[in-house]
Amino acid sequence: MSSRGFFLVLEGIEGAGKTTQARLLSRWMAERRIAHCIGREPGGTRVGEAIRDILLDAPGTEIPAETELLLLLAARAAFVHDVVRPALMRGDVMIADRFELSSLAYQGCGRGLDPDAVRALNAFATGAVRPDLTLVLDLPVAAGLARQNRAGKARDRIEGEGEVWLERVREAYRTLADGDDRVRLIDASASEADVGRAIRKTVEDALPESFFRRRG
Ligand code: T5A
């Protein structure tokens, strides 16, 4: 796809700080008048939010792994069509809270689905739109769940799989980040401000100079 925008994705396990850091990045970009938008997955569109409600039902609700993946990809197809592609075509920075790596880590490694099938189906759903940069916020699972507890967030169906399962997902993220120069691992165990600084430094280095000269 020819576009002038920049596609930036924040990834990581539950409570890693993706939403917090997406907001901080948005504020930083707004101060520099860098045109950007934020979206989350699953969700980000009307149909995506409806699918999110099904997927993140209470723990114990059974959904076959293949159904889970296809629902996530159905939501992603709408997100790319309605939000990501238009943002990139406008020349904006698109900040997404989760994307393809979530499916590879949770459905591929966590649920044991064939990673090549996950990649192929994802390419179909997204029209092969790929992030320019993915930042994996890395944190021990127990620390992420403790943050969620402190914030009073109830466990959803996927988080209900428990710590051992989520540790596999964390390891999958670390493996996926290894050797891919479009994916960077960020230590998310530091304070919000320190993690924010590390993220901004990485984004500043990766974002073409032209974004700092444009006026959104
Ligand atoms: N899923 C999703 C799949 O299985 N496959 C897929 O393909 C996709 C797209 C989504 C679920 O769907 C699954 C994965 C997930 O299980 P969700 O609720 O959108 O669920 O995602 P979560 O990761 O569960 O959302 P969280 O909000 O819990 O995590 P965040 O966004 O990483 O964390 P955040 O920023 O909300 O922070 C959580 C708390 O920690 C504090 C914050 O203030 C907040 O209270 N915090 C910090 N505290 C101390 N130090 C820091 N550095 C902190 N940063 C944040």
Tab-separated table of all heavy atoms in Angstrom, residues 72-130:
chain	number	residue	atom	x	y	z
A	72	LEU	N	-11.356	-12.224	16.094
A	72	LEU	CA	-10.349	-11.160	16.240
A	72	LEU	C	-9.976	-10.584	14.881
A	72	LEU	O	-9.824	-9.372	14.723
A	72	LEU	CB	-9.093	-11.725	16.919
A	72	LEU	CG	-9.215	-11.917	18.430
A	72	LEU	CD1	-8.205	-12.942	18.936
A	72	LEU	CD2	-9.024	-10.590	19.149
A	73	LEU	N	-9.848	-11.473	13.880
A	73	LEU	CA	-9.451	-11.000	12.556
A	73	LEU	C	-10.597	-10.274	11.852
A	73	LEU	O	-10.349	-9.342	11.072
A	73	LEU	CB	-8.931	-12.170	11.718
A	73	LEU	CG	-7.628	-12.782	12.247
A	73	LEU	CD1	-7.201	-13.961	11.387
A	73	LEU	CD2	-6.508	-11.746	12.314
A	74	ALA	N	-11.816	-10.676	12.139
A	74	ALA	CA	-12.966	-9.938	11.581
A	74	ALA	C	-12.961	-8.507	12.129
A	74	ALA	O	-13.180	-7.533	11.387
A	74	ALA	CB	-14.268	-10.653	11.939
A	75	ALA	N	-12.696	-8.390	13.433
A	75	ALA	CA	-12.612	-7.052	14.039
A	75	ALA	C	-11.440	-6.277	13.430
A	75	ALA	O	-11.553	-5.082	13.125
A	75	ALA	CB	-12.435	-7.182	15.551
A	76	ARG	N	-10.323	-6.978	13.221
A	76	ARG	CA	-9.128	-6.290	12.669
A	76	ARG	C	-9.376	-5.812	11.240
A	76	ARG	O	-8.927	-4.736	10.852
A	76	ARG	CB	-7.918	-7.234	12.722
A	76	ARG	CG	-6.616	-6.565	12.249
A	76	ARG	CD	-5.397	-7.353	12.667
A	76	ARG	NE	-5.419	-7.560	14.096
A	76	ARG	CZ	-4.924	-8.634	14.720
A	76	ARG	NH1	-4.330	-9.586	14.023
A	76	ARG	NH2	-5.003	-8.758	16.028
A	77	ALA	N	-10.091	-6.620	10.461
A	77	ALA	CA	-10.367	-6.217	9.072
A	77	ALA	C	-11.144	-4.898	9.056
A	77	ALA	O	-10.847	-3.992	8.255
A	77	ALA	CB	-11.154	-7.317	8.357
A	78	ALA	N	-12.129	-4.775	9.957
A	78	ALA	CA	-12.911	-3.530	10.020
A	78	ALA	C	-12.040	-2.372	10.509
A	78	ALA	O	-12.135	-1.244	10.004
A	78	ALA	CB	-14.111	-3.721	10.952
A	79	PHE	N	-11.180	-2.667	11.491
A	79	PHE	CA	-10.292	-1.631	12.053
A	79	PHE	C	-9.357	-1.091	10.960
A	79	PHE	O	-9.172	0.121	10.818
A	79	PHE	CB	-9.516	-2.260	13.211
A	79	PHE	CG	-8.582	-1.335	13.936
A	79	PHE	CD1	-9.033	-0.148	14.493
A	79	PHE	CD2	-7.241	-1.660	14.086
A	79	PHE	CE1	-8.170	0.699	15.182
A	79	PHE	CE2	-6.373	-0.834	14.785
A	79	PHE	CZ	-6.828	0.353	15.324
A	80	VAL	N	-8.777	-2.002	10.169
A	80	VAL	CA	-7.861	-1.571	9.106
A	80	VAL	C	-8.640	-0.773	8.053
A	80	VAL	O	-8.216	0.300	7.628
A	80	VAL	CB	-7.147	-2.783	8.465
A	80	VAL	CG1	-6.418	-2.369	7.180
A	80	VAL	CG2	-6.166	-3.394	9.456
A	81	HIS	N	-9.808	-1.299	7.673
A	81	HIS	CA	-10.601	-0.655	6.623
A	81	HIS	C	-11.078	0.737	7.046
A	81	HIS	O	-10.993	1.704	6.285
A	81	HIS	CB	-11.795	-1.553	6.281
A	81	HIS	CG	-12.643	-1.000	5.182
A	81	HIS	ND1	-13.690	-0.127	5.418
A	81	HIS	CD2	-12.585	-1.159	3.824
A	81	HIS	CE1	-14.238	0.209	4.263
A	81	HIS	NE2	-13.587	-0.409	3.293
A	82	ASP	N	-11.586	0.837	8.272
A	82	ASP	CA	-12.254	2.082	8.694
A	82	ASP	C	-11.303	3.086	9.348
A	82	ASP	O	-11.588	4.285	9.355
A	82	ASP	CB	-13.361	1.776	9.719
A	82	ASP	CG	-14.505	0.985	9.105
A	82	ASP	OD1	-14.467	0.723	7.888
A	82	ASP	OD2	-15.432	0.626	9.861
A	83	VAL	N	-10.233	2.600	9.972
A	83	VAL	CA	-9.410	3.499	10.792
A	83	VAL	C	-7.955	3.568	10.303
A	83	VAL	O	-7.446	4.647	10.012
A	83	VAL	CB	-9.439	3.054	12.287
A	83	VAL	CG1	-8.609	4.009	13.140
A	83	VAL	CG2	-10.865	2.961	12.804
A	84	VAL	N	-7.297	2.392	10.213
A	84	VAL	CA	-5.849	2.394	9.962
A	84	VAL	C	-5.521	2.910	8.563
A	84	VAL	O	-4.721	3.836	8.386
A	84	VAL	CB	-5.253	0.967	10.161
A	84	VAL	CG1	-3.768	0.952	9.808
A	84	VAL	CG2	-5.492	0.482	11.586
A	85	ARG	N	-6.160	2.294	7.566
A	85	ARG	CA	-5.832	2.673	6.186
A	85	ARG	C	-6.135	4.156	5.913
A	85	ARG	O	-5.269	4.870	5.383
A	85	ARG	CB	-6.583	1.768	5.202
A	85	ARG	CG	-5.944	1.651	3.848
A	85	ARG	CD	-6.789	0.753	2.957
A	85	ARG	NE	-6.661	-0.650	3.270
A	85	ARG	CZ	-5.723	-1.439	2.744
A	85	ARG	NH1	-4.844	-0.938	1.907
A	85	ARG	NH2	-5.678	-2.710	3.057
A	86	PRO	N	-7.320	4.665	6.324
A	86	PRO	CA	-7.565	6.102	6.102
A	86	PRO	C	-6.534	6.989	6.807
A	86	PRO	O	-6.085	7.983	6.239
A	86	PRO	CB	-8.972	6.313	6.689
A	86	PRO	CG	-9.621	4.966	6.604
A	86	PRO	CD	-8.529	3.972	6.810
A	87	ALA	N	-6.130	6.601	8.025
A	87	ALA	CA	-5.136	7.417	8.748
A	87	ALA	C	-3.817	7.430	7.990
A	87	ALA	O	-3.195	8.484	7.811
A	87	ALA	CB	-4.931	6.862	10.158
A	88	LEU	N	-3.393	6.267	7.512
A	88	LEU	CA	-2.108	6.196	6.798
A	88	LEU	C	-2.191	6.948	5.473
A	88	LEU	O	-1.248	7.620	5.061
A	88	LEU	CB	-1.705	4.734	6.576
A	88	LEU	CG	-1.438	3.922	7.865
A	88	LEU	CD1	-1.073	2.484	7.530
A	88	LEU	CD2	-0.338	4.559	8.710
A	89	MET	N	-3.330	6.862	4.811
A	89	MET	CA	-3.475	7.576	3.536
A	89	MET	C	-3.483	9.093	3.754
A	89	MET	O	-3.055	9.852	2.885
A	89	MET	CB	-4.751	7.144	2.802
A	89	MET	CG	-4.768	5.684	2.349
A	89	MET	SD	-3.299	5.176	1.452
A	89	MET	CE	-3.562	5.976	-0.116
A	90	ARG	N	-3.977	9.534	4.923
A	90	ARG	CA	-3.940	10.984	5.233
A	90	ARG	C	-2.522	11.443	5.552
A	90	ARG	O	-2.255	12.633	5.633
A	90	ARG	CB	-4.803	11.266	6.479
A	90	ARG	CG	-6.294	11.373	6.248
A	90	ARG	CD	-6.992	12.028	7.438
A	90	ARG	NE	-6.724	11.387	8.702
A	90	ARG	CZ	-7.415	10.350	9.193
A	90	ARG	NH1	-8.413	9.837	8.503
A	90	ARG	NH2	-7.092	9.833	10.361
A	91	GLY	N	-1.651	10.469	5.871
A	91	GLY	CA	-0.288	10.830	6.257
A	91	GLY	C	-0.114	10.956	7.752
A	91	GLY	O	0.881	11.509	8.223
A	92	ASP	N	-1.067	10.455	8.534
A	92	ASP	CA	-0.998	10.545	9.993
A	92	ASP	C	-0.127	9.435	10.582
A	92	ASP	O	0.142	8.419	9.928
A	92	ASP	CB	-2.394	10.370	10.605
A	92	ASP	CG	-3.312	11.534	10.294
A	92	ASP	OD1	-2.866	12.481	9.608
A	92	ASP	OD2	-4.487	11.477	10.724
A	93	VAL	N	0.238	9.616	11.841
A	93	VAL	CA	0.783	8.499	12.606
A	93	VAL	C	-0.408	7.757	13.192
A	93	VAL	O	-1.266	8.354	13.845
A	93	VAL	CB	1.702	8.980	13.756
A	93	VAL	CG1	2.202	7.781	14.562
A	93	VAL	CG2	2.878	9.781	13.212
A	94	MET	N	-0.501	6.480	12.922
A	94	MET	CA	-1.565	5.641	13.491
A	94	MET	C	-0.966	4.882	14.675
A	94	MET	O	-0.023	4.101	14.501
A	94	MET	CB	-2.074	4.666	12.419
A	94	MET	CG	-3.124	3.682	12.900
A	94	MET	SD	-4.707	4.487	13.191
A	94	MET	CE	-5.166	3.802	14.783
A	95	ILE	N	-1.514	5.129	15.873
A	95	ILE	CA	-1.036	4.411	17.064
A	95	ILE	C	-2.079	3.354	17.404
A	95	ILE	O	-3.221	3.689	17.735
A	95	ILE	CB	-0.874	5.363	18.274
A	95	ILE	CG1	0.050	6.539	17.933
A	95	ILE	CG2	-0.348	4.596	19.497
A	95	ILE	CD1	0.076	7.639	19.002
A	96	ALA	N	-1.698	2.086	17.333
A	96	ALA	CA	-2.657	1.018	17.651
A	96	ALA	C	-2.240	0.294	18.923
A	96	ALA	O	-1.073	-0.029	19.113
A	96	ALA	CB	-2.753	0.027	16.499
A	97	ASP	N	-3.233	0.099	19.788
A	97	ASP	CA	-3.069	-0.669	21.025
A	97	ASP	C	-3.378	-2.124	20.644
A	97	ASP	O	-4.531	-2.503	20.576
A	97	ASP	CB	-4.080	-0.112	22.034
A	97	ASP	CG	-3.959	-0.671	23.427
A	97	ASP	OD1	-3.427	-1.783	23.578
A	97	ASP	OD2	-4.424	0.007	24.364
A	98	ARG	N	-2.349	-2.898	20.286
A	98	ARG	CA	-2.393	-4.289	19.810
A	98	ARG	C	-2.652	-4.364	18.298
A	98	ARG	O	-3.366	-3.551	17.736
A	98	ARG	CB	-3.459	-5.125	20.522
A	98	ARG	CG	-3.229	-5.288	22.033
A	98	ARG	CD	-4.196	-6.326	22.582
A	98	ARG	NE	-4.062	-6.531	24.021
A	98	ARG	CZ	-3.157	-7.317	24.583
A	98	ARG	NH1	-2.313	-7.968	23.832
A	98	ARG	NH2	-3.104	-7.466	25.898
A	99	PHE	N	-2.073	-5.441	17.679
A	99	PHE	CA	-2.308	-5.745	16.256
A	99	PHE	C	-1.875	-7.188	16.025
A	99	PHE	O	-2.107	-8.052	16.894
A	99	PHE	CB	-1.547	-4.737	15.363
A	99	PHE	CG	-2.057	-4.621	13.955
A	99	PHE	CD1	-3.303	-4.098	13.699
A	99	PHE	CD2	-1.295	-5.046	12.871
A	99	PHE	CE1	-3.789	-3.996	12.390
A	99	PHE	CE2	-1.747	-4.945	11.570
A	99	PHE	CZ	-2.993	-4.415	11.335
A	100	GLU	N	-1.197	-7.459	14.912
A	100	GLU	CA	-0.907	-8.840	14.508
A	100	GLU	C	-0.137	-9.648	15.558
A	100	GLU	O	-0.408	-10.840	15.765
A	100	GLU	CB	-0.097	-8.834	13.202
A	100	GLU	CG	0.331	-10.229	12.768
A	100	GLU	CD	1.180	-10.204	11.498
A	100	GLU	OE1	1.552	-9.118	11.043
A	100	GLU	OE2	1.457	-11.290	10.971
A	101	LEU	N	0.832	-9.006	16.235
A	101	LEU	CA	1.643	-9.769	17.194
A	101	LEU	C	0.794	-10.362	18.312
A	101	LEU	O	1.116	-11.420	18.857
A	101	LEU	CB	2.746	-8.876	17.787
A	101	LEU	CG	4.180	-9.292	17.451
A	101	LEU	CD1	4.404	-9.444	15.977
A	101	LEU	CD2	5.182	-8.316	18.057
A	102	SER	N	-0.295	-9.664	18.685
A	102	SER	CA	-1.198	-10.219	19.713
A	102	SER	C	-1.733	-11.570	19.254
A	102	SER	O	-1.796	-12.522	20.027
A	102	SER	CB	-2.387	-9.280	19.973
A	102	SER	OG	-2.007	-8.175	20.745
A	103	SER	N	-2.132	-11.651	17.982
A	103	SER	CA	-2.703	-12.912	17.488
A	103	SER	C	-1.653	-14.016	17.455
A	103	SER	O	-1.940	-15.176	17.765
A	103	SER	CB	-3.279	-12.727	16.084
A	103	SER	OG	-4.199	-11.671	16.085
A	104	LEU	N	-0.421	-13.641	17.076
A	104	LEU	CA	0.640	-14.656	17.049
A	104	LEU	C	0.985	-15.123	18.462
A	104	LEU	O	1.219	-16.313	18.696
A	104	LEU	CB	1.883	-14.087	16.355
A	104	LEU	CG	1.744	-13.991	14.837
A	104	LEU	CD1	2.811	-13.079	14.245
A	104	LEU	CD2	1.824	-15.381	14.212
A	105	ALA	N	1.007	-14.181	19.409
A	105	ALA	CA	1.388	-14.545	20.783
A	105	ALA	C	0.255	-15.295	21.506
A	105	ALA	O	0.483	-16.348	22.110
A	105	ALA	CB	1.779	-13.293	21.560
A	106	TYR	N	-0.983	-14.771	21.431
A	106	TYR	CA	-2.098	-15.360	22.200
A	106	TYR	C	-2.709	-16.566	21.488
A	106	TYR	O	-2.906	-17.604	22.100
A	106	TYR	CB	-3.194	-14.315	22.450
A	106	TYR	CG	-2.851	-13.271	23.493
A	106	TYR	CD1	-2.041	-12.193	23.199
A	106	TYR	CD2	-3.367	-13.351	24.790
A	106	TYR	CE1	-1.737	-11.223	24.148
A	106	TYR	CE2	-3.075	-12.388	25.744
A	106	TYR	CZ	-2.253	-11.331	25.414
A	106	TYR	OH	-1.962	-10.385	26.369
A	107	GLN	N	-3.040	-16.384	20.192
A	107	GLN	CA	-3.714	-17.494	19.503
A	107	GLN	C	-2.689	-18.497	18.957
A	107	GLN	O	-2.920	-19.699	19.006
A	107	GLN	CB	-4.606	-16.969	18.354
A	107	GLN	CG	-5.937	-16.401	18.821
A	107	GLN	CD	-5.812	-15.157	19.675
A	107	GLN	OE1	-5.125	-14.220	19.295
A	107	GLN	NE2	-6.446	-15.135	20.838
A	108	GLY	N	-1.541	-17.979	18.451
A	108	GLY	CA	-0.517	-18.881	17.951
A	108	GLY	C	0.124	-19.654	19.097
A	108	GLY	O	-0.084	-20.866	19.234
A	109	CYS	N	0.838	-18.924	19.940
A	109	CYS	CA	1.557	-19.640	21.006
A	109	CYS	C	0.620	-20.058	22.156
A	109	CYS	O	0.639	-21.201	22.601
A	109	CYS	CB	2.684	-18.762	21.521
A	109	CYS	SG	3.745	-19.686	22.606
A	110	GLY	N	-0.205	-19.119	22.627
A	110	GLY	CA	-1.082	-19.429	23.771
A	110	GLY	C	-2.066	-20.544	23.468
A	110	GLY	O	-2.154	-21.533	24.197
A	111	ARG	N	-2.805	-20.424	22.373
A	111	ARG	CA	-3.839	-21.425	22.029
A	111	ARG	C	-3.280	-22.589	21.203
A	111	ARG	O	-3.993	-23.549	20.940
A	111	ARG	CB	-4.970	-20.784	21.205
A	111	ARG	CG	-5.707	-19.646	21.891
A	111	ARG	CD	-6.588	-20.156	23.003
A	111	ARG	NE	-7.484	-19.095	23.459
A	111	ARG	CZ	-7.833	-18.953	24.728
A	111	ARG	NH1	-7.389	-19.777	25.672
A	111	ARG	NH2	-8.649	-17.983	25.075
A	112	GLY	N	-2.060	-22.435	20.701
A	112	GLY	CA	-1.447	-23.533	19.937
A	112	GLY	C	-1.898	-23.616	18.496
A	112	GLY	O	-1.767	-24.679	17.866
A	113	LEU	N	-2.428	-22.520	17.936
A	113	LEU	CA	-2.787	-22.543	16.507
A	113	LEU	C	-1.525	-22.388	15.657
A	113	LEU	O	-0.545	-21.770	16.089
A	113	LEU	CB	-3.784	-21.415	16.192
A	113	LEU	CG	-5.161	-21.524	16.851
A	113	LEU	CD1	-6.038	-20.330	16.452
A	113	LEU	CD2	-5.856	-22.830	16.455
A	114	ASP	N	-1.572	-22.949	14.448
A	114	ASP	CA	-0.408	-22.918	13.552
A	114	ASP	C	-0.038	-21.459	13.229
A	114	ASP	O	-0.843	-20.733	12.638
A	114	ASP	CB	-0.793	-23.676	12.261
A	114	ASP	CG	0.289	-23.595	11.204
A	114	ASP	OD1	1.381	-23.080	11.494
A	114	ASP	OD2	0.015	-24.073	10.081
A	115	PRO	N	1.176	-21.027	13.606
A	115	PRO	CA	1.556	-19.629	13.374
A	115	PRO	C	1.514	-19.225	11.900
A	115	PRO	O	1.188	-18.078	11.585
A	115	PRO	CB	2.974	-19.513	13.928
A	115	PRO	CG	3.368	-20.863	14.390
A	115	PRO	CD	2.211	-21.790	14.307
A	116	ASP	N	1.817	-20.170	10.997
A	116	ASP	CA	1.766	-19.814	9.570
A	116	ASP	C	0.330	-19.536	9.141
A	116	ASP	O	0.070	-18.637	8.334
A	116	ASP	CB	2.345	-20.941	8.709
A	116	ASP	CG	3.856	-21.047	8.893
A	116	ASP	OD1	4.466	-20.037	9.294
A	116	ASP	OD2	4.402	-22.135	8.667
A	117	ALA	N	-0.607	-20.309	9.705
A	117	ALA	CA	-2.027	-20.067	9.393
A	117	ALA	C	-2.459	-18.718	9.977
A	117	ALA	O	-3.187	-17.953	9.319
A	117	ALA	CB	-2.890	-21.197	9.965
A	118	VAL	N	-1.995	-18.413	11.190
A	118	VAL	CA	-2.346	-17.118	11.802
A	118	VAL	C	-1.821	-15.977	10.923
A	118	VAL	O	-2.536	-15.019	10.633
A	118	VAL	CB	-1.782	-16.998	13.243
A	118	VAL	CG1	-2.066	-15.619	13.827
A	118	VAL	CG2	-2.369	-18.095	14.138
A	119	ARG	N	-0.574	-16.114	10.467
A	119	ARG	CA	0.027	-15.065	9.617
A	119	ARG	C	-0.758	-14.912	8.303
A	119	ARG	O	-1.039	-13.801	7.864
A	119	ARG	CB	1.475	-15.427	9.276
A	119	ARG	CG	2.433	-15.103	10.388
A	119	ARG	CD	3.886	-15.002	9.869
A	119	ARG	NE	4.769	-14.626	10.948
A	119	ARG	CZ	5.321	-15.499	11.790
A	119	ARG	NH1	5.100	-16.785	11.652
A	119	ARG	NH2	6.099	-15.076	12.778
A	120	ALA	N	-1.092	-16.055	7.686
A	120	ALA	CA	-1.771	-16.005	6.382
A	120	ALA	C	-3.166	-15.393	6.522
A	120	ALA	O	-3.573	-14.543	5.720
A	120	ALA	CB	-1.857	-17.411	5.789
A	121	LEU	N	-3.897	-15.805	7.561
A	121	LEU	CA	-5.248	-15.265	7.756
A	121	LEU	C	-5.178	-13.781	8.118
A	121	LEU	O	-6.009	-12.977	7.694
A	121	LEU	CB	-5.974	-16.057	8.852
A	121	LEU	CG	-6.358	-17.491	8.450
A	121	LEU	CD1	-6.743	-18.309	9.676
A	121	LEU	CD2	-7.505	-17.472	7.437
A	122	ASN	N	-4.166	-13.422	8.888
A	122	ASN	CA	-3.996	-12.016	9.249
A	122	ASN	C	-3.722	-11.179	7.995
A	122	ASN	O	-4.269	-10.084	7.842
A	122	ASN	CB	-2.842	-11.863	10.248
A	122	ASN	CG	-2.630	-10.419	10.647
A	122	ASN	OD1	-3.399	-9.866	11.422
A	122	ASN	ND2	-1.623	-9.783	10.082
A	123	ALA	N	-2.900	-11.714	7.093
A	123	ALA	CA	-2.581	-10.971	5.864
A	123	ALA	C	-3.846	-10.772	5.034
A	123	ALA	O	-4.060	-9.706	4.444
A	123	ALA	CB	-1.519	-11.715	5.058
A	124	PHE	N	-4.710	-11.802	5.007
A	124	PHE	CA	-5.976	-11.664	4.278
A	124	PHE	C	-6.848	-10.576	4.928
A	124	PHE	O	-7.409	-9.713	4.262
A	124	PHE	CB	-6.718	-13.000	4.269
A	124	PHE	CG	-8.106	-12.892	3.701
A	124	PHE	CD1	-8.288	-12.719	2.334
A	124	PHE	CD2	-9.222	-12.943	4.527
A	124	PHE	CE1	-9.570	-12.593	1.798
A	124	PHE	CE2	-10.501	-12.812	4.000
A	124	PHE	CZ	-10.671	-12.642	2.632
A	125	ALA	N	-6.935	-10.609	6.270
A	125	ALA	CA	-7.810	-9.668	6.983
A	125	ALA	C	-7.333	-8.223	6.849
A	125	ALA	O	-8.146	-7.297	6.815
A	125	ALA	CB	-7.894	-10.052	8.465
A	126	THR	N	-6.027	-8.039	6.777
A	126	THR	CA	-5.488	-6.673	6.812
A	126	THR	C	-5.124	-6.150	5.425
A	126	THR	O	-4.711	-4.989	5.310
A	126	THR	CB	-4.207	-6.623	7.675
A	126	THR	OG1	-3.240	-7.508	7.085
A	126	THR	CG2	-4.484	-7.030	9.108
A	127	GLY	N	-5.226	-7.017	4.410
A	127	GLY	CA	-4.731	-6.595	3.095
A	127	GLY	C	-3.237	-6.363	3.156
A	127	GLY	O	-2.690	-5.520	2.448
A	128	ALA	N	-2.588	-7.102	4.071
A	128	ALA	CA	-1.121	-7.047	4.242
A	128	ALA	C	-0.600	-5.697	4.724
A	128	ALA	O	0.569	-5.381	4.544
A	128	ALA	CB	-0.407	-7.498	2.980
A	129	VAL	N	-1.464	-4.894	5.344
A	129	VAL	CA	-0.968	-3.673	6.004
A	129	VAL	C	-0.087	-4.102	7.171
A	129	VAL	O	-0.503	-4.918	8.001
A	129	VAL	CB	-2.142	-2.808	6.538
A	129	VAL	CG1	-1.641	-1.731	7.497
A	129	VAL	CG2	-2.891	-2.183	5.384
A	130	ARG	N	1.119	-3.576	7.229
A	130	ARG	CA	2.044	-3.986	8.294
A	130	ARG	C	2.517	-2.779	9.090
A	130	ARG	O	2.741	-1.699	8.514
A	130	ARG	CB	3.261	-4.681	7.687
A	130	ARG	CG	2.934	-6.037	7.093
A	130	ARG	CD	4.194	-6.851	6.940
A	130	ARG	NE	4.837	-7.099	8.228
A	130	ARG	CZ	6.142	-7.327	8.369
A	130	ARG	NH1	6.936	-7.306	7.334
A	130	ARG	NH2	6.646	-7.571	9.555
